[in-house]
């Protein structure tokens, strides 16, 4: 692996963590504002949420703060979406 890639990898990882975390924020805001969840798959969001929890546990096990932070925030956003889906159908 090139020296540049090795030195840039923490920034690349952090950027990826930020982008994949905030990507759920617009969906969560939209669901809360409009109370419309008809187009959202409960099954997909539950599976995704379980995956996030697995990543969170893994991050805790290896004490990787970017992994912990990104997945903890994503769990919150996904939980809001699932809760609203359960409430509004």
């Amino acid at each position: 692996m090139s020296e540049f890639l090795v030195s840039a990898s923490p920034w690349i990882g952090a950027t990826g963590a930020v982008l994949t975390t905030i990507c759920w924020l617009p969906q969560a805001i939209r669901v809360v504002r409009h109370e419309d969840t008809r187009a959202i798959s409960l099954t997909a969001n539950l599976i995704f949420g379980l995956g996030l929890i697995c990543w969170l546990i893994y991050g805790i096990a290896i004490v990787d703060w970017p992994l912990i932070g990104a997945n903890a925030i994503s769990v919150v956003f996904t939980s809001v979406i699932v809760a609203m889906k359960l409430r509004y159908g």
Side-chain angles (χ1 to χ4, degrees):
M1 194 178 302
S2 77
E3 188 176 320
F4 170 75
L5 196 52
V6 170
S7 64
S9 65
W11 291 103
I12 294 168
T15 302
V18 168
L19 292 173
T20 58
T21 298
I22 63 171
C23 79
W24 294 105
L25 184 58
Q27 183 69 67
I29 291 170
R30 181 173 174 75
V31 167
V32 169
R33 280 188 185 160
H34 298 284
E35 299 177 352
D36 182 13
T37 59
R38 289 174 287 168
I40 296 173
S41 168
L42 178 60
T43 304
N45 278 279
L46 287 173
I47 292 169
F48 181 71
L50 287 173
L52 290 171
I53 290 168
C54 290
W55 277 113
L56 179 58
I57 292 168
Y58 176 70
I60 292 167
I62 65 169
V63 192
D64 185 319
W65 289 106
L67 193 59
I68 294 167
N71 285 291
I73 294 167
S74 292
V75 165
V76 171
F77 292 158
T78 303
S79 296
V80 168
I81 293 167
V82 168
M84 297 298 283
K85 177 67 176 175
L86 291 172
R87 183 172 181 185
Y88 296 111

